[in-house]
Amino acid sequence: MKIVVDDKIPYIREKLALLADEVVYLRGADIKAADVRDADALIVRTRTRCDEQLLGGSRVQLVATATIGFDHIDTDYLQRAGIAWTNSPGCNAGSVAQYLECSLLLLEQQKGLSLHDSTIGIVGCGHVGTKVKAVAERLGMRVLVCDPLVGEPDFVSFDVIEREADVITFHVPLTYEGRYATWHMADDAFFHCLPRVPYIINTSRGEVVDNAALLSALQAGRVRDAVIDVWENEPQLNIELLQRVFIGTPHIAGYSADGKVNADNMVIDALCRHFHLPHPGLIEPPSLPADFHAQYGALSYYNPLNDSQALKNAPLQFESLRNNYPLRRENLHK
């Protein structure tokens, strides 16, 4: 059995070595058809486009992505080709919720946002949005949720979010068609109809927020400030927008060691189910250094301003900062 794997997926190598005769690790963006022609399984992140151009004529039976999102997978083609696929739903929800909590605390500390007196509008309430909702409630915020696909009776319409939210945060998949398409759902028209001059947070997909329109809204004072982790045209991000936002990070909101390990274990589970292999056991995240002290609460575990400053100092190093990410653990003592 041969598996081709994105070489930036951490913590997984020991278990894969127990499952396969051959495991080949390659840079995700560089994986080509010749690399997977004789592979049985492919394990990727968002940088590998899994479509007929890559997989046509190969013997790949399973594509597993160690991510929540799967817009990099041509699911229609895989279905036609009889190739199974799986994503890792909810794997990094806790990590993104940590990113949101720390960003909100920083907005309060450094930008004067009073969390107890503010309303947050959460757009999308799947695995991630649900955890973000719990965070915002714990911080004492009034919470509005818009997700017509979930359809809870206490959820609100998007226009209520536009009118009433002081912070608007997006947690939706990237979709291009249908009544609830999310591509550029925050566009120029959206930014022109925001009466409260809110803060904007995007940790979903870069294309959900029109980056040029967001920059214009920030320059015109229609948006108070922004926290942006995902960008259009990654890794060639809008550098002017990066320098303008309060926090700008290289698509790492979900990059806690806990989230990565969750994804690894989901991938291992999928491989074992599909190929009827004995399970090699769970992967555990590495421990924090022995001298770690949580003296600053949530911000002791993670301060997104550090990632933001690193990217602002070296925006052309987007992929390197993302691919060589330091150890980050979630708050284990909540």
Side-chain angles (χ1 to χ4, degrees):
M1 180 179 178
K2 178 179 178 180
I3 305 175
V4 174
V5 189
D6 183 314
D7 66 358
K8 295 303 185 294
I9 297 175
Y11 315 128
I12 201 171
R13 296 190 179 213
E14 180 181 349
K15 300 300 184 184
L16 289 182
L18 298 174
L19 295 175
D21 303 296
E22 181 181 3
V23 185
V24 177
Y25 292 90
L26 299 169
R27 182 173 177 267
D30 294 339
I31 297 174
K32 301 293 191 295
D35 301 317
V36 304
R37 186 168 294 120
D38 61 346
D40 300 284
L42 176 61
I43 303 175
V44 299
R45 299 183 304 153
T46 58
R47 291 298 187 255
T48 306
R49 176 65 182 168
C50 300
D51 54 13
E52 185 172 7
Q53 182 176 346
L54 179 67
L55 298 167
S58 77
R59 76 176 193 206
V60 171
Q61 297 181 37
L62 174 68
V63 173
T65 181
T67 60
I68 292 178
F70 54 89
D71 46 280
H72 54 294
I73 297 177
D74 185 343
T75 58
D76 291 337
Y77 166 71
L78 266 62
Q79 183 175 12
R80 294 196 306 271
I83 301 171
W85 69 273
T86 182
N87 63 324
S88 303
C91 64
N92 62 2
S95 179
V96 178
Q98 178 191 46
Y99 182 98
L100 261 291
E101 177 178 10
C102 294
S103 296
L104 289 168
L105 290 172
L106 288 167
L107 285 171
E108 183 169 55
Q109 290 179 9
Q110 300 197 19
K111 294 293 180 177
L113 174 70
S114 174
L115 297 178
H116 281 84
D117 299 320
S118 297
T119 296
I120 187 170
I122 300 171
V123 185
C125 200
H127 292 286
V128 176
T130 298
K131 286 189 176 292
V132 170
K133 180 175 182 287
V135 163
E137 289 171 343
R138 188 171 69 248
L139 292 174
M141 303 183 77
R142 175 183 176 232
V143 178
L144 299 174
V145 178
C146 172
D147 194 329
L149 298 181
V150 175
E152 292 291 336
D154 58 344
F155 287 2
V156 301
S157 60
F158 194 41
D159 64 300
V160 175
I161 298 282
E162 293 172 339
R163 289 197 309 270
E164 300 186 20
D166 303 292
V167 178
I168 302 176
T169 181
F170 294 92
H171 304 284
V172 295
L174 178 61
T175 57
Y176 293 90
E177 299 176 347
R179 181 179 178 186
Y180 302 115
T182 61
W183 181 83
H184 279 192
M185 69 184 307
D187 57 8
D188 194 59
F190 165 81
F191 291 118
H192 272 88
C193 68
L194 299 174
R196 298 184 70 83
V197 192
Y199 296 93
I200 299 294
I201 302 176
N202 187 20
T203 58
S204 57
R205 283 292 184 264
E207 294 82 1
V208 169
V209 174
D210 182 333
N211 284 195
L214 173 58
L215 178 59
S216 295
L218 285 163
Q219 293 169 335
R222 292 188 292 272
V223 167
R224 200 170 305 276
D225 218 318
V227 175
I228 303 297
D229 179 59
V230 290
W231 310 79
E232 292 192 278
N233 305 311
E234 292 179 13
Q236 284 80 40
L237 71 167
N238 184 323
I239 295 178
E240 187 177 2
L241 177 61
L242 168 65
Q243 300 299 342
R244 178 62 182 77
V245 299
F246 174 47
I247 296 173
T249 50
H251 201 151
I252 47 72
Y255 267 35
S256 71
D258 308 74
K260 292 179 179 181
V261 165
N262 288 340
D264 290 349
N265 284 324
M266 290 180 182
V267 166
I268 296 294
D269 288 347
L271 283 169
C272 292
R273 285 195 308 271
H274 185 85
F275 293 102
H276 307 289
L277 301 171
H279 201 288
L282 290 176
I283 303 168
E284 297 291 339
S287 300
L288 286 166
D291 60 353
F292 172 81
H293 298 289
Q295 61 202 70
Y296 302 113
L299 291 171
S300 298
Y301 288 87
Y302 178 56
N303 187 329
L305 281 175
N306 295 331
D307 285 327
S308 180
Q309 194 58 58
L311 183 60
K312 290 184 178 186
N313 288 343
L316 298 182
Q317 297 300 310
F318 187 102
E319 287 292 81
S320 177
L321 292 168
R322 187 172 188 240
N323 290 335
N324 302 288
Y325 195 66
L327 173 64
R328 168 182 150 207
R329 292 298 307 273
E330 295 170 28
N331 186 343
L332 307 179
H333 306 291
K334 288 182 181 178

